[in-house]
Amino acid sequence: MTAHTVFRGSMPALVTPMKDGGELDEGAFRSLVDWQIASGTHGLVPVGTTGESPTLTHDEHNKVVEWCVQETRGRVPVIAGAGSNSTLEAISLARHAEKVGADGLLVVTPYYNKPTQEGLYAHFKAINDAVGLPILIYNIPGRSVVDMTVDTMARLYELKNIAGVKDATANVARVSLQRAKMGADFLQFSGEDITALGFMAHGGHGCISVTANVAPAECAAFQEACIAGDYVTARAYQDKLTPLHTGLFCETSPGPVKVGLAMLGRCSETMRLPMVPVAESTRGVVRAALAHAGLVSGNA
């Protein structure tokens, strides 16, 4: 799997900017992509959960992937969200992402219908067989209600396109267990910012990050320190970013991170129902966290 080691470091799970009426804001999205790359981000992940994929139409989902690939212009890898609890729908999204030039796919474990481990294997094998792009399994039991076991991942890793995992179990021991079973070339990305430091120390390759939406340069520098084995520097960044790592989840994401981006003047905080505006107390938490990270004035 050495061909996939280009995937590393800080890769924001991008928000999808929207205008006040709820329509997609292409200009703000493209501007966000350019800012991310200029800030040192190592890769981009559009239309995951943070990108509000559950409330985008299929056409909108595909447009956002196209915009990301077009605006990135090959400067960093684009790993397109292509998950669904319908295998046929996931294949359709995956094929479109491949057609428009994405470099990889992020495919979540099917949510709500709770497939067995055999069902998970069959779902990912069907997607693997339908495309020619590297696939990261997105294992997030807290949202999908199923947890892919290490043994199931090991079976999938025998397939030609399964390259690694975005692990949002918050169990850093899984990194070592997966590394022991699949080896060091199985790509492992943290899906939880607050535990990414420990994740990297266990042998991770990077983080698909919510915090990197608002602090791209700092998250990129943190990851570069971890990759270099400089955990003194990495801990210093962790101390700077910890209030963001926690504060951006004091309400359901992406509410707080969109508020943070609005405070930075990057996009509107508009979301689609059933996501509603965050509480005033949350705004205070987000502003204080941005100030702690040096991203806004503490007096603003």
Side-chain angles (χ1 to χ4, degrees), residues 44-101:
L44 298 169
V45 184
V47 285
T49 310
T50 309
E52 295 178 77
S53 57
T55 57
L56 300 188
T57 68
H58 293 169
D59 284 346
E60 288 173 330
H61 184 118
N62 289 338
K63 279 182 183 177
V64 172
V65 173
E66 289 180 44
W67 295 343
C68 193
V69 171
Q70 290 167 359
E71 197 63 32
T72 299
R73 300 190 301 279
R75 290 175 286 173
V76 298
V78 173
I79 301 177
S84 174
N85 60 349
S86 161
T87 304
L88 291 176
E89 185 175 292
I91 288 171
S92 176
L93 295 173
R95 283 175 168 163
H96 177 270
E98 181 174 36
K99 178 182 176 182
V100 300

Side-chain angles (χ1 to χ4, degrees), residues 130-156:
V131 296
L133 292 179
I135 297 167
L136 297 181
I137 300 159
Y138 184 9
N139 194 29
I140 181 166
R143 282 191 185 259
S144 65
V145 199
V146 291
D147 183 3
M148 184 182 288
T149 66
V150 177
D151 286 343
T152 300
M153 274 186 210
R155 287 181 66 200
L156 285 168

